[in-house]
Amino acid sequence: MNNAGIVGLGMVVPDKVLTNHDLEKMVETSDEWIKTRTGIEQRRIANDDVFTSDLAAAAAEKALQDAGLKGDEVELIIVATCTPDMYSPSTACIVQHKLGAVNAAAFDVNAACSGFIYCLSIANQFISSGQYKNALVIGAETLSKVIDWKDKNTCVLFGDGAGAVVLKPVEENKGILATHLGADGSIGKHLTILGLALEPQEVEKRSSDNPRTLWMNGSEVFKFAVKIMAEASLTVLEKANKTLEDVSLIVPHQANIRIVDGAAKRLKVKNDKIYINLYKYGNTSAASIPIALCEAVEEERIKKDDLLVLVGFGGGLTWGSAVIRWAK
Ligand code: ACO
């Protein structure tokens, strides 16, 4: 059977913009520090009554329209998120209902910022095996709801948003040519968002009254990220029997410009081969790669038959990469 390819895309970000200057009034930070240490200039924040499923469904509607697919024609919905509306039902089930996708199976995947690539890989297995004729893969987050807004180490980094893609079987040697996924739970403690198990040593790390906030050991995640982004890019290219010279554009997880620059240096790739929009949105976790893909297509940085590498890392700790021959 043929591989899955992306045949429709959509994205949304909340209207509310939070700039570095706004953050200067909230914590002891500066626009200069945030820009030079992360590359981020602003991020989008969802209103109190807007949740991950709202952003996910809005992005999905755009992707379905782009693909010319109706809600009830969708066969599979997978949502990548680490900020679900509820533990149950899954965000994917809430989205399924919002879209009227009555014929779709639906489930969530939590691989934090690597989640979108995990979901692409899963959907590709379902499509290339012939089980489903199409799939809707969504990366969506409202990280602003789990941020400790008094913690300058983390509150400057993240933002909200959603990106969605529709996958269908495409011509031979096109679409998703290879994926590579990995995880190392032994270092998961470097990036946590607490749920039911409020372990005292985890609660202690948080200064907030709300223990269910994000905590991160930024420098450990940073070192891991630079190394794994380079390694995961090379591993997936090898799987696809391609080299970096064949690649038109790398679309990395948009976490920190210094992480991307560090990985690019290791790969000896010039910056113009790497798509960056993190200055506008910050780190939107599972949403960052599909949002970047959408904007890269809009800006005509991606054209039919281009070879792309998508690569991400995140909580878990996890990582994932994909090689795609663009078929749209
Ligand atoms: N403003 C001003 N100063 C700050 C801020 C801030 N917002 N944040 C930290 N600092 C200070 C620290 O307190 C520290 O001060 P000290 O030296 O007096 O103790 C100093 O800056 C340096 O701190 P470092 O942690 O060494 O700063 P670094 O250059 O490593 O940058 C950062 C920190 C941006 C968090 C970086 O480590 C990073 O990007 N890490 C990776 C984060 C990431 O991308 N995570 C992605 C996964 S997210 C997910 O999966 C949901």
Side-chain angles (χ1 to χ4, degrees), residues 28-40:
E28 207 186 322
T29 191
S30 66
D31 174 50
E32 175 64 16
W33 192 96
I34 303 171
K35 274 204 299 228
T36 53
R37 293 300 187 89
T38 72
I40 300 165

Side-chain angles (χ1 to χ4, degrees), residues 28-30 33-34 37-38 82 112-113 143 152-153 156-158 191 214 216 218-219 221-222 253 255-256 258-259 283 285 313-315:
E28 207 186 322
T29 191
S30 66
W33 192 96
I34 303 171
R37 293 300 187 89
T38 72
C82 60
C113 308
L143 282 154
K152 69 175 178 183
N153 294 296
V156 302
L157 302 174
F158 298 98
L191 204 184
L214 183 150
M216 180 170 67
S219 54
V221 177
F222 189 98
H253 170 44
N256 181 326
R258 290 189 299 130
I259 292 177
N283 179 350
S285 189
F313 65 91

Side-chain angles (χ1 to χ4, degrees), residues 17-160:
V17 175
L18 185 72
T19 65
N20 292 349
H21 294 294
D22 295 329
L23 283 161
E24 284 175 349
K25 295 174 204 139
M26 296 161 63
V27 286
E28 207 186 322
T29 191
S30 66
D31 174 50
E32 175 64 16
W33 192 96
I34 303 171
K35 274 204 299 228
T36 53
R37 293 300 187 89
T38 72
I40 300 165
E41 294 173 15
Q42 59 178 49
R43 65 290 291 144
R44 301 299 184 98
I45 306 293
N47 288 338
D48 289 349
D49 59 349
V50 171
F51 292 90
T52 296
S53 71
D54 299 309
L55 301 179
E61 273 171 11
K62 290 186 181 183
L64 290 178
Q65 197 176 12
D66 192 33
L69 206 67
K70 293 196 192 74
D72 63 2
E73 292 171 324
V74 177
E75 299 192 353
L76 174 66
I77 300 173
I78 318 179
V79 175
T81 188
C82 60
T83 50
D85 295 23
M86 305 181 192
Y87 290 128
S88 185
S90 67
T91 304
C93 285
I94 301 171
V95 169
Q96 186 236 27
H97 180 57
K98 285 183 177 166
L99 298 176
V102 290
N103 297 306
F107 62 91
D108 287 359
V109 168
N110 179 351
C113 308
S114 315
F116 180 75
I117 293 177
Y118 266 67
C119 293
L120 270 190
S121 182
I122 295 165
N124 188 35
Q125 312 305 315
F126 275 116
I127 288 177
S128 59
S129 69
Q131 183 157 348
Y132 294 122
K133 289 195 289 294
N134 63 58
L136 180 60
V137 168
I138 309 166
E141 304 280 10
T142 46
L143 282 154
S144 63
K145 298 190 193 300
V146 294
I147 293 300
D148 175 357
W149 289 102
K150 291 192 182 112
D151 178 11
K152 69 175 178 183
N153 294 296
T154 53
C155 77
V156 302
L157 302 174
F158 298 98
D160 301 335

